[in-house]
């Protein structure tokens, strides 16, 4: 295995055609969850990946594991339980001026019952190079948070590179709680991935320069945020994804990495958006791939941003891209029909 | 209002085309729940009906209330809460030798938090003639069971006729618990509706005559069960629905009522089954309609059985029939295309 | 051209999955109408066929003509009008004990405005051998009835064989009116196609032997009906289709022809029913094909019944069978998967 | 009741995925009609609303009433008839340079047969504060126009505030007829809602300043139009909706109200368009809500415009928004995924 | 690994709702192929399984491998090629009297190019107990046939149990060719799986007793066939699946195994048929599971028949059952809704 | 006949909702192919058109022919064969930065087997005015290329106007082969239709002015290309379509014709793109219509560009527009809802 990720995946239910849930007479069924999304994105690029989680041993739990396997992700370290339920979430896709929105129904899901000692991290990490998790997992329950801490420690002990996506979810916990729980975790983290907004909301870190939602993607102000994060937590690498979204169906998308004192910027992509959920996770997947395979933060941020740009163009949480497609985009792709 | 019912309704998710859940890439969305199904069936026949429940004030809770209103059911006495979640259930439709199956995901739903004192029963029952609930509601939580008890008492005090469908759900509670909780409730019940199997499993009441699942619908053995139930609980009226199901897609369906010492039998319908969930509830709806409008148990069992037979022919929990359609079937309908 | 038919075709809207119309959130779109169905069935077997009608020059009218052409039916003699509307019908597919049912919305459709003199029958019939119409067309309007009369006369003058399917539609007119209008038309008819029930309802002709809907398909009693029809109207050939429908999803289906004093019986097919609308029309198509290509009533009734049996197995009004498929069924087909 | 509206609602059939009707093999089924759309929009914001109409007592008529009830609209004053038909319309959704387009099939629908004396307006208006109708209803038939006149008079007599949306439909009647029929109605109107184009086409009122379709939304020229309308008809309040549509999938949308000599302007929203049919009606609904609940034209135009902007983002004629969503948009919403 | 299978899997395209291909405007997409179906059925019961094949390295090839992995089948020994194409097949589901039918479009697919030496059988068989293939693979090309021979020899050398399903496909090759190619392969086979019909068509082996398609499932005549096969090819075990199909939607289904001179018969299941393609493969999967896990031919034939009966009830080629479901059916299941 | 076209048409399979093929569980089914698309576009405008091709006599071949007939295209000169297969292609619709993409599966399709002498061109061209083919047909096989040459010669001999769309497909052959095969064909061509890119890739012809993909549509540089083509091949008329595609869902679209030394430019349309496949063919169809009906290159380029702009707005390869719609767009259409 190159990569192990740890977190929840849910059955996702989405009304077709931008319908609201109240209107829906059928729902499209996807599977998604931040850390599984990362594993899928990376597996599709060719990394050996494993996803650790806890699932209910029923049809919905099996559906989640099946879809992970379908994409080439190993599920051999998943814990199975007869208790608890599968997490669900309902996602309504929007159109300006209505943002897309998520209704979580994940309380008491199987992974909320995960606790330190349940996962054999030593075995799970055997032969692995990288561990990734995100700020969603500790938000699920106190015991899940404790397990994240356990996992991060075990990963460091085992010599893995550790990346952590802040992924603040205001519908799961408050910013205060998020900060209190996560600040201690940062000591184990090698690469911290954030959006500018989450850095501000959770850690109170803002650029000196004013920066509104619709601002131009202004590299400098974000670099400032990255430096503050690096200083505050003594994290070697900070990656920030940059989004301008004057519309729901079209955004500008880019990212930067601050590593070893150097800033690496990806190109900005104009993306037409079929479904942006999971785009941040695709960024992490590409970043990990780029670093692991090319040992270059310059490449890492470029692979991450390109994979993520492509993720916006497909329905569902999962990246659907192949390595060849990402590399073609990195070379500069045409928008003519390929035939 | 002619009729008030009390219980949970859920968002129901069903894979199309007899798919298993694991295969599903889209799910059909219905709303259903025993007591709402009864209210809908009766409202469509022309009764004024109101459904009392507790719902989460989010898109799913609103969907449930909307679909009740769509069918003409009053939702003015529904309690709304910002806490809790909407109950869900997943229903897989079968084909012989695979029975249809239900995966409940209703723990901690809004109605599980209902408690005595929350519903203003006096106001809810004002001007009403009949109250109906079922053995599902007390299975949801202890406080829900206490509320059922409260409601039944209030209904009797207000002079309403009270019907109670035993509706045993082995996935919600054990037979022992079901018996312990429900036996005390029977004192308030005027009409008890059961299947032969539930009478046996919950109350240990069986016909002296041996009766297996695929037996011919043998009136006599079922009358015996009805008499025992009547004796045991001093219930004035017992209604038993009778089903032979050698196949999943085709059943024989009938019912009998034991009232004032007299047995009333409905004709037996050969039903082709699109979706049998809710058929028992349609029986209750027709029974209540027949009794309220024609004051005749003979008519009641016939309306109940006919409405229920028609329910098998449509997807979703709800009856879709009009009074005219039921009465045409009672006269003996043709199976030629009506054109 | 081998065959010309004359009548209305409508846009047909059907809820999927045996839903009732009130439930439907989408409707499947077909095109159908008795005489067009006959033309399609015959064209797919290889006959040159033309369909005469009157259509609104809008999207719905074009849809109707397009679907006729798709199946190889010539629409060169269709009249186009900017006035009027396209006829529609809504078809709900049933399940026992709920019969399938049709809601017509065809009043004031373009063909209701057809009138004698509008169609150049001489040109339409040029080089043609057979003319077919049905009892639906004169039910649409007085001027349509007059045009049917005109067409029948023109067909006889031009030396065509004329077949007429009684096709009584109680939702369009009364039996009395149907009899009054159609009795005079019978003088032009060479082959009269009826069901036993329509013969009884419209012309009061019944077999001496009692015959209920679910009776066994009893050749003798139907032959008696055929003889009476032949005597009453001096029609050379009478064809009667025979259906037992104890279920909606499974019927027995057969037919007989009385011609030149001889009775020809087809085998009886057990049909599993996807959609039986148009089955009678497929019978007429096969009958016409069999007679035109093999000059044998024995073959005609066999082709008609086989084509019709196959029609039950596909959705929509139109036959979808090829000549090879019909002939394979006539040889006795296997129900194993063909692979 | 806070609000009563009067008019037709139809079954609306729309091909999915921007297909043309000729291509469609299935049609999405909605219910819509200007005045029902207004009632739905207002009911969803919390007003007590009732919709008066005339419907055929068949599956389609019931579907229309059911969908109104689903959204919380009272249908107790609807007239039911066994005659006539349900109005239908087919809507093709476009893409630049192809505009969306509507094919009406509403001639001879039940409401065309409505006539003075049929509706008991006194009873319908009892306890109500506001009456709304539009220029579609008088276009349906002479007796419908007479009934509109009767309703407007009754509303004024009963002391209701009366709003009237000009809603010119060139496929229903000519501009000349529209003017002749509607000018006398204006005496009863308190609030007249128009688009700049309809004011020009029906009443010949244009701004002195040249104004083409793609012009910038230029407040001044529209204020001029509003003043002329106010002067011509002595209407207290004129509301004008303002749309720039250089594309079919993206528009700018705003509105102004001229009331008591003062102009109130709403912000301009950039809307991504899933389905704009019903957007004008959502504006009226929000306007009525804002005026009734906040007694402020400033608020009214803002609620109207925001509700209407949100309507563009959902399929179907009906607003799907809640009050909370509208008020969040009025505060300035983010386009980030809400999670 | 417990089990390795070898053969082709294709993208399968099926029109929904019993449509004919000519009617289809959308096609359901499955993946299937005899030997992959066996691997899936066994993997879902808990066996470690691997599927060996050759796939085109494009979207369709990846789809095939993904769906295998989704079900838990290892694809690590699949050969990938940039040349060639993915095999496709179109399946039309029938209704009596129209049989389901398959249109193959698999010529020149990637596996047709497989040749001896390409697969490293030693590695593929490492640690494995059982090898399964079928009579479809040698029908694909001469080099595929040679590779089957190579694989069978390698399996025997490696000490694996070898099962072979005759699976005659008349659309791929003639019975004569099938016999000529396969007779030499039989020397490596431990368990031969056949239908009575294929035994007759390919090897000319029939029961002395007359046996038509619709005959009762007559154990004795089939035992006779099994004995002849055993004698002719010196195969230790012969399994025969028994089907009565008087209808397309309902069959009787059973099987027998002749092993070590003893006949083992499974119960007969009445199956309602959603999709019977793959049922024979599910039989093989259950047989292999039963033998490997319980070392009993009695159990093997019972697991095989039960798993296969359940396969008929789900769409697609793949078994969707779990071990728990099969064992519940073997205990005798109820057809009541499980809830 | 006004127009005969010659080429392949395929069954086209497209995942709905911008899904990637790997995700698809259903595929939308269209029929398309350059020369059939031209025939359809022209037939819908009112020209008599015939399409010559070679098709497999199975369900897929019939589907292709049926869909051609549905649109009014004559298929009487299609060759039918029992051998070979129907060509297929899979089209994934994109979103920026992912271009739409095509996976061909057309090798060994029926038309690849077409050879000189098979088509009776004299009969096919009888009474015809125009012949159109494209650079796809000679790419299919050597014998297909030879047949194109035969057809072009026959068309010139018969006095037809000949148009040829270069339509380079890099997935079918190399630019070198394309040039070598097609240069000799140019002698028969009266109107050559190209994109700027294909002119460059195949013939090495570029404007002296630099011109990148996202450049403004700069008439002058394209005129230069047209002149070079005209000079090189001595073709009377060159038409160049001009596309700017900074997005996948929105393009600018225009065209120019160089004829008799004069340049004719169409207006530029901003198109919102549902499906751009077939847009170039719609251009050819409109061009042919305009020239044949108005004998004006000015009109021709305008009809071509407008028809093509409208094609972008509908799914599938075929134009769905009527003459009235095109002419309304040429007059300058509104984007308001037409109602």
């Amino acid at each position: 295995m190159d990569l192990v990720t740890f977190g929840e995946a849910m059955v996702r239910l989405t009304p077709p055609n931008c319908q609201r849930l109240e209107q829906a007479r059928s729902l499209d069924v996807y599977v998604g969850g931040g850390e599984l999304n990362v594993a899928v994105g990376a597996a599709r690029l060719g990394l050996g990946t494993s996803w650790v989680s806890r699932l209910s041993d029923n049809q919905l739990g099996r559906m989640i594991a099946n879809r992970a396997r379908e994409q080439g992700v190993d599920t051999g370290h998943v814990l199975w339980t007869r208790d608890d339920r599968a997490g669900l979430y309902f996602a309504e896709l929007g159109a300006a001026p209505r943002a897309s929105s998520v209704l979580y129904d994940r309380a008491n899901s199987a992974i909320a019952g995960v606790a330190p000692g349940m996962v054999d991290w030593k075995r799970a990490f055997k032969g692995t190079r990288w561990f990734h998790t995100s700020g969603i997992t500790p938000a699920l329950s106190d015991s899940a948070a404790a397990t994240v801490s356990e996992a991060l420690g075990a990963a460091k002990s085992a010599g893995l590179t550790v990346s952590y996506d802040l992924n603040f979810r205001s519908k799961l916990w408050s910013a205060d709680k998020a900060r209190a729980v996560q600040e201690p975790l940062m000591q184990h983290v090698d690469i911290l991935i954030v959006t500018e907004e989450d850095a501000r909301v959770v850690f109170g870190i803002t650029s000196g320069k004013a920066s509104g939602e619709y601002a131009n993607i202004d590299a400098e102000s974000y670099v400032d945020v990255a430096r503050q994060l690096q200083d505050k937590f003594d994290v070697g690498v900070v990656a920030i994804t940059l989004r301008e979204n004057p519309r729901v169906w079209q955004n500008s998308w880019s990212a930067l990495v601050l590593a070893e004192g150097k800033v690496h910027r990806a190109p900005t992509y104009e993306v037409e958006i079929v479904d942006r959920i999971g785009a941040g996770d695709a960024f992490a997947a590409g970043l990990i791939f780029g670093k692991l395979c090319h040992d270059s933060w310059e490449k890492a941020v470029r692979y991450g941003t390109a994979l993520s740009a492509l993720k916006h163009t497909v329905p569902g949480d999962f990246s659907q891209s192949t390595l060849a497609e990402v590399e073609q985009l990195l070379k500069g792709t045409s928008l003519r029909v390929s035939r």
Side-chain angles (χ1 to χ4, degrees), chain A:
Chain A
M1 286 303 144
D2 299 297
L3 169 67
V4 171
T5 75
F6 171 54
E8 180 172 32
M10 295 161 283
V11 173
R12 164 183 157 182
L13 299 166
T14 293
N17 189 26
C18 289
Q19 284 179 101
R20 306 299 307 270
L21 270 170
E22 286 187 51
Q23 302 181 278
R25 259 62 182 178
S26 83
L27 294 170
D28 293 332
V29 182
Y30 301 96
V31 162
E35 300 83 2
L36 176 55
N37 299 349
V38 173
V40 165
R44 290 188 60 94
L45 296 182
L47 294 186
T49 67
S50 175
W51 170 65
V52 178
S53 191
R54 190 163 181 259
L55 287 175
S56 298
D57 186 13
N58 62 19
Q59 298 100 309
L60 300 180
R62 285 196 299 273
M63 181 196 283
I64 293 169
N66 289 358
R67 300 254 193 137
R69 294 192 303 203
E70 182 183 2
Q71 301 297 335
V73 173
D74 185 88
T75 59
H77 294 285
V78 167
L79 306 171
W80 292 90
T81 171
R82 290 197 168 273
D83 307 329
D84 307 319
R85 55 187 291 269
L88 303 173
Y89 83 99
F90 296 84
E92 294 182 310
L93 300 180
R98 176 170 64 80
S100 296
S101 180
V102 157
L103 174 68
Y104 287 130
D105 185 14
R106 63 202 295 184
N108 302 309
S109 68
I111 201 175
V114 78
M118 281 187 179
V119 179
D120 181 346
W121 292 110
K122 195 166 265 180
R123 205 166 61 86
F125 288 147
K126 196 172 160 192
T128 300
R129 298 195 278 163
W130 194 296
F131 177 62
H132 176 85
T133 190
S134 93
I136 296 171
T137 316
L140 298 175
S141 72
D142 289 347
S143 67
T147 313
V148 169
S149 180
E150 178 194 56
L152 290 170
K156 290 314 303 174
S157 305
L160 277 63
T161 300
V162 171
S163 56
Y164 191 96
D165 187 334
L166 193 58
N167 260 343
F168 177 60
R169 294 290 179 264
S170 66
K171 293 182 177 175
L172 292 181
W173 57 358
S174 68
D176 283 349
K177 176 117 197 244
R179 183 174 51 250
V181 170
Q182 291 181 99
E183 282 193 359
L185 304 178
M186 291 300 114
Q187 60 176 305
H188 304 297
V189 172
D190 300 306
I191 296 103
L192 177 62
I193 304 169
V194 296
T195 61
E196 183 268 353
E197 178 164 350
D198 285 358
R200 176 172 51 78
V201 173
V202 178
F203 294 128
I205 289 175
T206 55
S207 162
K209 310 180 184 178
S211 162
E213 185 176 4
Y214 299 107
N216 286 324
I217 290 180
D218 167 8
E220 277 320 297
S221 61
Y222 293 107
V223 170
D224 191 30
V225 170
R227 282 194 215 284
Q228 292 182 56
L229 284 164
Q230 206 173 42
D231 291 350
K232 182 176 174 76
F233 297 116
D234 194 23
V235 175
V237 180
V238 174
I240 301 188
T241 55
L242 313 172
R243 182 188 296 279
E244 284 181 76
N245 48 359
R247 299 287 177 279
V248 172
W249 295 349
Q250 189 180 318
N251 283 186
S252 297
W253 176 252
S254 191
L256 61 81
V257 162
L258 173 66
E260 298 139 28
K262 214 171 139 196
V263 175
H264 306 271
R265 289 239 16 195
T268 297
Y269 294 100
E270 294 302 308
V271 291
E272 289 172 322
I273 299 178
V274 173
D275 184 346
R276 59 175 264 195
I277 300 176
D281 306 317
F283 172 76
L287 186 86
I288 295 167
F289 173 85
K291 181 69 173 102
L292 276 179
C293 295
H294 295 283
D295 196 20
S296 147
W297 287 113
E298 183 70 22
K299 292 238 173 188
V301 73
R302 291 170 60 84
Y303 273 99
T305 308
L307 188 68
S308 180
L310 289 169
K311 164 61 203 67
H312 290 80
T313 72
V314 294
D317 282 48
F318 291 170
S319 167
Q320 294 292 331
S321 300
T322 61
L323 182 55
E325 290 165 350
V326 175
E327 296 188 334
Q328 185 168 354
L329 179 58
L330 284 170
K331 278 184 238 156
T333 196
S334 159
L335 294 183
R336 285 172 50 115
V337 177
S338 163
R339 56 189 174 185

